[in-house]
Amino acid sequence: MITLLDYGAGNVRSVINAIESLGEQVHLVKTGNDILSAEKLVFPGVGAFGNMMEILHRKNFVAPLLDYLKADRPFLGICLGLQALFEKSEEAPDVPGLGFIPGDVQRFSTDLSVPHIGWNGLNIQQPSRLFAGLEGNEKFYFVHSYHVKPATNDTVLTTTDYGYGFVSAIQKGKVIATQFHPEKSGESGLRILENFLSKDGKVAMPPEISSRTCLAKRIIACLDVRTNNSGDLVVTKGDQYDVREKGDVRNLGKPVDLARRYYEEGADEITFLNITGFRDFPLEDMPMLDVLRKTSRNVFVPLTIGGGIRDYTDKDGRTYTALEVAAKYFRSGADKISIGSNTVLVVEAHLKTGLKTGRSAIEEIARVYGNQAVVISIDPRRVYVDNPEDVQHRVIKTDIPGPNGESYCWYQCTIKGGREGRELDAVTLAQVCETLGAGEILLNCIDRDGTSQGFDLELINAVKEAVSIPVIASSGAGCPEHFLEVFKKTEAESALAAGIFHRKEVPIGQVKSELKGEVEIRV
Ligand code: 1PR
């Protein structure tokens, strides 16, 4: 029996699913005694440092947790569960940590995008029971803006490079903690968890020890999901967002089955977009939550879900906040949520007043679950102009002239799945969202969606230059060369595709083999 410390924020479902998939049962901590009587304790932290420590205090978990750690009993901390062990964090300077390990937690100070999101390697510094059966060159999933800085090197288990080397795991006796997420790191991550759980684990040093690691570019499979005319929830795919063929919604498969297939084929991440979420209320749309629950049971890479995340009043007058909707998604197995239409309205309101209310969906969800959990999905469409002075928007000079030979364009934000264009450009939207606390941009492009003509590199460069958070390039992939092109000609951290994978034109593995040697990837 494994005891799991769930303090109520973030996706502990993934950790539970991963442990259960290895044949173990999970007992959730309800009182401090549950911590003291644990055989093995797993502490997966997600969210924000201050919020986490406050909840640990409120629930009276701090003293038993420190007693457990000081008694050198088996402990695995994950992400914030690592950071909690330190004395303090720049994320919440006035809130002390557990102070079990001398040192502090610092924000990344690098020109690279922050948060550090994606698959990166480990420079292993000591043998550990976690490493039995590993080669040493595996990549693991990271998602964080802060990293630990121990006062001394004796507890450093691994380091990872992102702009500079940072400590990515510590080991002190039986207390081990990782910055990366084993439960989201595919087979290699499951191996690490299994090593921790096993009764007679052997201490090992993997054969391949690296001295420098590199963040991989991510390949993301996207599943646009909605109900078809027969009432079945299906994965569909549009041509420039039109998902109907001869009157019915195109049906490309079942969401749970397809997600599993993409996991097995090597997708680095899977995104579900509930594309009619803008008009349905997701908490009534239980099938979508069920899809997440079932998928997260056997898909061990990050899952993002979008669609319908906004404040909502139901027919009985009960109001739900966007945070409540997001919480439901997280509890059902999502690691990140993506917000589309609502973001456009929030940014429009923000631009009018210049004020941060602290109450927008982006701000509220980021405060509880951390910036890295908030993805902004943008659905822009090109609008051509003759002269950059003709409009107030961020205009770019384009190499793809408009229908009347125009050589300038701006990217108009849309809402409701492209049905309504707004007086807001995608570059401004992305910038404002970053200031409000978004952790990543999912940059679609209605002009390219489903066309197989390749990504809109001009759009991606324009947005990427304007923000310092990671950008996911989306829409238009038609062959492996398009992925190579987007990674060579833009700074996008990841590339997302749908049709090419759904129609089985090119498997994910083939995309990766064609990138290998040219671009850092996870194999
Ligand atoms: O506005 O917060 O409720 O979220 C709704 C979400 O649903 C948004 O993220 C929006 O992008 C998405 N969405 C709404 N309508 C559609 C549609 O297609 N009719 N899908 C839609 C957007 C675009 C991509 C697609 C890529 C790759 N899908 O995600 O997967 O363009 O496609 P390709 O590789 O085949 O070119 P809210």
Side-chain angles (χ1 to χ4, degrees), residues 52 63 124 220 375 492:
M52 165 188 68
I124 294 174
I220 302 176
V375 182

Side-chain angles (χ1 to χ4, degrees), residues 238-281:
D239 293 327
Q240 301 186 316
Y241 283 36
D242 179 0
V243 299
R244 288 187 183 272
E245 202 169 70
K246 293 184 191 139
D248 201 356
V249 171
R250 218 174 261 128
N251 180 351
L252 293 168
K254 294 184 180 162
V256 179
D257 297 350
L258 268 190
R260 174 74 192 177
R261 187 182 112 204
Y262 295 142
Y263 169 62
E264 286 168 356
E265 285 183 8
D268 297 314
E269 210 167 306
I270 290 169
T271 296
F272 291 106
L273 295 176
N274 178 359
I275 68 168
T276 50
F278 70 89
R279 62 168 176 245
D280 309 327
F281 177 50

Side-chain angles (χ1 to χ4, degrees), residues 275-332:
I275 68 168
T276 50
F278 70 89
R279 62 168 176 245
D280 309 327
F281 177 50
L283 295 189
E284 277 160 10
D285 193 5
M286 290 309 182
M288 203 60 214
L289 296 173
D290 200 40
V291 162
L292 261 183
R293 267 183 227 112
K294 288 191 175 128
T295 302
S296 63
R297 240 174 254 152
N298 54 22
V299 169
F300 301 107
V301 292
L303 299 176
T304 302
I305 173 107
I309 297 181
R310 63 181 194 281
D311 296 344
Y312 181 86
T313 304
D314 72 11
K315 51 187 181 312
D316 304 321
R318 182 169 169 203
T319 297
Y320 299 83
T321 63
L323 179 62
E324 284 175 283
V325 179
K328 195 86 181 172
Y329 277 148
F330 285 121
R331 274 197 295 276
S332 303

